[in-house]
C-alpha cells in the first residue's frame, strides 16, 4: 500500500489528494495544513472584502469532513510539518493547538507550501493597522480592522493582482484610496504602454495613484485602546484604533487608516531547504518535468517551485492557481506509477480593474529584451464585436512574435469586453505551436453581438504578416519622440479628431482621403512617418506613399498607443 503525505492544501495539495484517491482506493493519503482551512478560494478573498462575494462560506471549497467523506483523505488542519527526515522517509509534525509533536512515515511526500507575502523591513511596519492578504485569517483581520477603525482612507502598497483587487475593494466600500507602486507601472506582466490604459482607468475612478514611489517608514498613532479584556480576548484580538503616517521616498507623506502591503510573494522554501533539497536559481524549489525535487520520493508543486517557462524553457516563478492545480494532478499521477510531464508555464493571467480587464500570456517585451530574444511587435485597437451593434468596446491588443519564424512569443490585451476571449485564444495558439501566419486563418465565431468578421486576432496577424513580408515598415511609439531632421511626421486623421483627441507636436495634417491630391506637398528627400488613430488609415496612407516612390513608415497602433504609453 502506498502512503502519500501532502504538505499544504489549497490549489496544488488538494488537487493532488483528490487525483491520488481517484487513481487508487488503496493508497493512504494524509494532508497537513498548518492553518484552519484546507481548501479555500484565495483568489476570491479581495472580492469578499469588497462585497462582491457576500457569503464568506462560499470561499471554503472543502472542509476536512467533506474531504474525508468524498475522497477518504485524512486532513489534519492546525498541524504543521516542521521537518523532513529524507533518509528515514519521515516527517515531524507539530499540532499547533497543543504544541505536541509526532512523526509520520511516507512512501511519497508532496510539498505544496505556497508563497508568503513579502513584507520588507520598513521601520514601523509591524502595527495593528497594516495587513497582507494570503488566507482566510488575513481576510478576517482586514474586515475586523475595517469594522473597528471605520477607515476613511486606505493605502495599498503594490500594483500587482492583490494590490489592484484590494484598491477596488476599498473603492467599492466608499473608502478613499491611495495606490503606491515602486515601478513606473501597475500590472508588471503587461508592458508599460498597455498598463497605461489601467493607469487612466484607476485615476478616472478617483484613486490617488503614485507610480515610481516607495514606502520608507510607517508611524502608528493610536487613538484609544479598544480591548475587550473582560471577554478574555487575547492580545492578538485586541483592536487598536488610530491612524498611520506614511513617509514616501519622494519626500511626500500620507495619513491613512489602514495599510495593505501587496508588493509580491516569495516561495515558502524553509522546509525544503532545511531538508537539503536543491533550490533553483530564482529561489524556488527545484523540480524536474515530472514535478520531482532532487529527492525522487519528494514532489513539489505550486507557488513554491520553479517551473519551466513555456517560451524559453528557462526557470520561472509563476504564482498562479491554474499551473498549481495541473501540477498537483500530475504529481499524483507520477507518485502512483504513471509518467506525466509538465509542459511549461505561459503565465496566462487576467485582472479586473474597475470596468477594465487586463490580460496577458507568454513573454512580455521587458523580458524579451532582458533575455536578448529577437522580436517584433504589433498593436491593434478594434471593436470587441461589430461596431454597429450596441455595446461594442475597444479591445487594445499587443502581439509579440519572432519576425524571422513567426513564432508567437506573447500577447497582451486591455478593454471592457472580449479581452479574456482573445488572450485565451492566443494562449491556445501559442501552446499549439502556431505561427502568426496561421493566425490569419483562424475562423472564429461571428455574429454582430459577439464578434467581427475580421476578429481582433485576425487583424493583428494581418499587420504582423505585412511586416514580415515587407508590405509594411513599422515605427513604434517609443521612437516617435526621437525623430531626426530627416523625418517628417504626417498625421492622416481628420482635423476634428486632432482637436478632440490630441496630436503630436510638429506633425503636419493631411487627411488620408485627401492624400492622393496633396502628395506633391510632401518632400521626397525625407522619411515620412505616418500616424493615424489606431494604425489602420496609417497603413492605407503608407501604401499610397511607398507606391508613389516615397520613403515611409507607419506608426503601429497609431496615436492611441502613443497617448496611453504616456498615461
Amino acid at each position: 500500500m502506498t502512503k502519500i503525505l501532502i504538505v499544504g492544501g489549497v490549489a496544488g495539495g488538494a488537487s493532488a489528494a483528490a487525483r491520488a484517491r481517484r487513481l487508487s482506493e488503496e493508497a493512504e493519503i494524509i494532508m497537513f495544513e498548518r492553518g484552519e482551512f484546507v481548501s479555500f478560494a484565495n483568489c476570491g478573498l479581495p472580492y469578499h472584502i469588497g462585497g462582491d462575494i457576500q457569503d464568506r462560506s462560499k470561499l471554503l471549497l472543502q472542509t476536512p469532513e467533506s474531504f474525508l467523506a468524498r475522497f477518504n483523505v485524512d486532513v489534519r488542519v492546525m498541524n504543521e510539518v516542521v521537518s523532513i527526515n529524507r533518509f528515514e522517509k519521515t516527517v515531524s509534525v507539530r499540532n499547533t493547538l497543543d504544541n505536541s509533536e509526532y512523526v509520520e512515515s511516507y512512501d511519497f511526500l508532496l510539498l505544496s507550501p505556497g508563497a508568503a507575502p513579502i513584507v520588507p523591513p520598513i521601520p514601523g511596519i509591524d502595527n495593528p493597522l497594516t495587513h497582507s492578504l494570503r488566507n482566510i485569517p488575513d481576510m478576517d483581520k482586514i474586515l475586523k480592522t475595517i469594522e473597528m477603525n471605520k477607515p476613511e482612507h486606505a493605502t495599498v502598497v503594490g500594483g500587482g493582482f492583490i494590490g489592484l483587487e484590494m484598491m477596488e475593494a476599498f473603492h467599492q466600500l466608499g473608502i478613499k484610496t491611495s495606490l503606491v507602486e515602486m515601478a513606473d507601472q501597475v500590472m508588471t506582466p503587461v508592458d508599460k504602454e498597455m498598463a497605461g490604459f489601467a493607469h487612466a482607468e484607476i485615476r478616472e475612478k478617483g484613486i490617488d495613484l503614485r507610480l515610481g514611489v516607495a514606502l520608507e517608514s510607517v508611524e502608528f498613532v493610536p487613538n484609544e485602546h479598544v480591548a475587550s479584556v473582560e471577554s478574555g480576548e487575547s492580545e492578538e484580538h485586541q483592536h487598536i484604533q488610530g491612524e498611520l503616517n506614511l513617509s514616501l521616498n519622494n519626500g511626500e507623506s500620507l495619513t491613512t487608516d489602514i495599510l495593505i502591503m501587496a508588493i509580491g510573494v516569495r516561495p515558502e522554501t524553509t522546509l525544503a531547504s532545511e531538508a537539503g533539497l536543491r533550490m533553483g536559481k530564482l529561489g524556488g524549489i527545484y523540480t524536474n518535468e515530472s514535478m520531482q525535487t532532487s529527492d525522487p520520493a519528494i514532489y513539489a508543486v505550486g507557488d513554491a517551485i520553479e517551473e519551466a517557462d513555456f517560451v524559453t524553457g528557462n526557470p520561472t516563478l509563476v504564482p498562479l492557481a491554474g499551473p498549481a492545480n495541473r501540477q498537483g494532478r500530475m504529481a499524483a499521477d507520477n507518485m502512483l506509477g504513471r509518467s506525466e510531464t509538465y509542459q511549461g508555464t505561459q503565465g496566462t493571467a487576467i485582472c479586473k480593474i474597475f470596468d477594465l480587464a487586463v490580460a496577458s500570456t507568454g513573454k512580455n517585451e521587458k523580458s524579451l529584451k532582458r533575455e536578448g530574444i529577437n522580436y517584433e511587435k504589433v498593436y491593434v485597437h478594434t471593436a470587441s464585436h461589430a461596431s454597429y451593434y450596441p455595446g461594442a468596446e475597444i479591445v487594445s491588443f499587443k502581439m509579440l512574435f519572432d519576425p524571422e519564424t513567426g513564432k508567437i512569443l506573447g500577447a497582451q490585451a486591455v478593454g471592457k469586453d472580449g479581452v479574456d476571449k482573445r488572450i485565451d485564444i492566443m494562449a491556445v495558439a501559442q501552446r499549439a505551436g502556431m505561427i502568426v501566419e496561421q493566425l490569419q486563418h483562424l475562423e472564429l465565431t461571428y455574429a454582430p453581438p459577439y464578434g467581427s468578421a475580421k476578429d481582433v486576432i485576425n487583424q493583428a496577424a494581418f499587420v504582423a504578416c505585412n511586416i514580415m513580408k515587407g508590405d509594411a515598415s513599422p515605427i513604434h511609439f517609443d521612437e516617435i519622440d526621437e525623430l531626426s531632421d530627416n523625418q517628417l511626421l504626417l498625421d492622416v486623421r481628420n482635423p476634428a479628431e486632432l482637436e478632440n483627441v490630441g496630436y503630436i507636436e510638429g506633425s503636419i495634417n493631411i487627411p488620408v482621403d485627401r492624400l492622393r491630391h496633396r502628395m506633391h506637398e510632401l518632400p521626397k528627400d525625407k522619411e515620412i512617418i505616418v500616424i493615424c488613430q489606431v494604425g489602420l488609415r496609417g497603413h492605407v496612407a503608407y501604401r499610397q506613399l511607398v507606391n508613389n516612390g516615397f520613403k515611409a513608415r507607419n506608426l503601429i497602433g497609431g496615436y492611441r498607443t502613443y497617448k496611453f504609453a504616456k498615461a
Side-chain angles (χ1 to χ4, degrees):
M1 185 176 74
T2 306
K3 184 174 179 184
I4 298 171
L5 302 186
I6 297 173
V7 180
V10 197
S15 296
R19 175 67 172 171
R21 177 56 72 223
R22 290 197 298 274
L23 293 179
S24 165
E25 198 55 40
E26 282 71 52
E28 184 183 355
I29 307 167
I30 305 172
M31 184 155 58
F32 302 98
E33 175 57 58
R34 67 180 166 204
E36 192 184 338
F37 304 98
V38 64
S39 180
F40 60 91
N42 49 4
C43 300
L45 303 178
Y47 297 107
H48 178 58
I49 293 169
D52 291 309
I53 300 170
Q54 300 219 327
D55 185 353
R56 179 177 176 277
S57 67
K58 290 251 165 61
L59 299 171
L60 305 174
L61 307 176
Q62 292 276 2
T63 63
E65 294 74 28
S66 68
F67 239 107
L68 183 65
R70 180 164 297 177
F71 297 111
N72 191 21
V73 171
D74 177 3
V75 177
R76 302 179 188 175
V77 292
M78 311 305 282
N79 275 251
E80 181 177 14
V81 175
V82 290
S83 66
I84 303 166
N85 185 331
R86 288 166 48 200
F87 307 102
E88 291 182 12
K89 290 178 89 168
T90 61
V91 297
S92 295
V93 188
R94 182 170 64 86
N95 181 321
T96 58
L97 296 175
D98 61 11
N99 273 334
S100 61
E101 287 204 13
Y102 62 96
V103 171
E104 200 71 61
S105 66
Y106 63 83
D107 294 309
F108 292 107
L109 175 63
L110 176 71
L111 302 178
S112 176
I118 296 170
V119 182
I122 293 170
I125 196 82
D126 193 8
N127 65 71
L129 303 181
T130 297
H131 302 275
S132 54
L133 180 59
R134 180 192 186 186
N135 52 34
I136 300 261
D138 291 344
M139 177 187 78
D140 291 341
K141 282 178 193 159
I142 291 169
L143 287 168
K144 191 76 173 164
T145 297
I146 292 170
E147 183 197 333
M148 299 296 294
N149 216 36
K150 303 200 169 26
E152 289 175 15
H153 185 277
T155 301
V156 178
V157 177
F161 295 101
I162 297 283
L164 292 165
E165 287 160 2
M166 282 306 301
M167 165 198 78
E168 188 169 344
F170 285 132
H171 180 268
Q172 221 158 289
L173 293 170
I175 299 168
K176 282 199 180 74
T177 306
S178 296
L179 180 66
V180 177
E181 167 55 63
M182 193 160 68
D184 59 0
Q185 65 165 96
V186 301
M187 272 292 281
T188 51
V190 302
D191 291 309
K192 191 187 171 189
E193 73 278 13
M194 298 301 282
F197 297 99
H199 300 159
E201 174 79 0
I202 289 166
R203 291 189 166 120
E204 199 262 322
K205 288 291 190 285
I207 302 292
D208 167 31
L209 175 62
R210 303 186 185 211
L211 298 171
V213 180
L215 177 62
E216 271 198 341
S217 68
V218 182
E219 184 200 3
F220 173 55
V221 184
N223 291 351
E224 52 184 305
H225 204 140
V226 184
S228 321
V229 181
E230 309 86 341
S231 62
E233 276 198 288
S234 67
E235 183 64 34
E236 178 188 356
H237 289 98
Q238 295 171 11
H239 286 274
I240 302 171
Q241 295 176 341
E243 61 185 25
L244 301 173
N245 293 329
L246 311 180
S247 300
L248 308 176
N249 70 346
N250 61 355
E252 294 176 1
S253 59
L254 264 175
T255 300
T256 198
D257 304 310
I258 183 170
L259 172 63
I260 304 293
M261 295 300 294
I263 61 171
V265 294
R266 185 181 283 127
E268 282 259 20
T269 58
T270 310
L271 195 59
S273 65
E274 285 177 357
L277 295 174
R278 178 177 160 192
M279 293 294 130
K281 291 177 189 158
L282 305 175
I285 302 169
Y286 161 84
T287 57
N288 64 17
E289 58 184 9
S290 303
M291 310 316 303
Q292 277 170 312
T293 66
S294 54
D295 181 328
I298 303 178
Y299 289 73
V301 299
D303 298 358
I305 71 162
E306 287 183 15
E307 57 242 271
D309 179 278
F310 180 78
V311 177
T312 64
N314 296 333
T316 183
L317 293 168
V318 184
L320 292 171
N325 272 291
R326 296 197 306 278
Q327 291 158 7
R329 175 189 171 91
M330 205 164 287
D333 278 1
N334 293 338
M335 285 187 231
L336 291 165
R338 298 196 175 190
S339 182
E340 295 287 336
T341 57
Y342 188 66
Q343 308 289 317
T345 297
Q346 292 163 281
T348 309
I350 190 165
C351 188
K352 176 184 180 298
I353 303 175
F354 298 110
D355 298 330
L356 277 189
V358 182
S360 63
T361 191
K363 306 297 279 182
N364 58 29
E365 192 174 347
K366 297 183 289 270
S367 60
L368 292 171
K369 277 182 181 162
R370 200 167 50 239
E371 297 184 42
I373 296 169
N374 184 34
Y375 70 92
E376 182 54 91
K377 58 185 175 180
V378 295
Y379 301 89
V380 292
H381 307 276
T382 188
S384 57
H385 60 246
S387 53
Y388 55 81
Y389 186 90
E393 298 283 356
I394 293 176
V395 175
S396 293
F397 183 84
K398 174 180 185 176
M399 181 169 70
L400 296 151
F401 61 98
D402 182 324
E404 304 296 320
T405 65
K407 177 183 178 180
I408 299 163
L409 300 173
Q412 302 164 30
V414 184
K416 295 184 178 182
D417 178 52
V419 164
D420 52 344
K421 170 162 117 172
R422 271 62 186 215
I423 291 301
D424 285 342
I425 292 167
M426 290 302 295
V428 173
Q430 184 182 53
R431 192 162 283 271
M434 292 177 73
I435 57 173
V436 291
E437 199 274 332
Q438 293 169 301
L439 295 181
Q440 297 180 105
H441 306 290
L442 285 186
E443 195 173 317
L444 304 172
T445 55
Y446 164 57
Y450 301 109
S452 300
K454 284 189 293 197
D455 189 76
V456 178
I457 290 173
N458 298 131
Q459 295 202 37
F462 296 152
V463 179
C465 290
N466 280 341
I467 292 171
M468 289 175 71
K469 289 173 184 164
D471 293 337
S473 182
I475 189 167
H476 292 295
F477 72 90
D478 46 5
E479 302 169 76
I480 291 295
D481 293 343
E482 311 293 323
L483 296 183
S484 71
D485 295 340
N486 297 323
Q487 293 168 305
L488 176 77
L489 200 53
L490 170 67
D491 196 319
V492 297
R493 294 175 293 167
N494 296 321
E497 285 179 84
L498 276 66
E499 216 169 284
N500 296 332
V501 182
Y503 59 92
I504 298 172
E505 289 291 330
S507 55
I508 63 167
N509 177 221
I510 302 176
V512 64
D513 295 339
R514 304 285 308 137
L515 184 58
R516 277 193 185 85
H517 309 290
R518 294 180 57 186
M519 216 174 269
H520 61 275
E521 298 173 27
L522 297 170
K524 281 220 164 170
D525 60 342
K526 290 193 175 187
E527 183 180 54
I528 311 295
I529 304 299
V530 187
I531 177 172
C532 71
Q533 185 59 18
V534 298
L536 188 58
R537 284 171 289 174
H539 181 64
V540 173
Y542 162 84
R543 292 306 309 168
Q544 285 182 35
L545 289 165
V546 294
N547 287 341
N548 281 283
F550 286 85
K551 273 191 307 185
R553 284 200 279 164
N554 182 28
L555 176 63
I556 303 294
Y559 182 73
R560 183 174 167 85
T561 301
Y562 177 86
K563 176 181 152 187
F564 279 98
K566 305 281 181 190

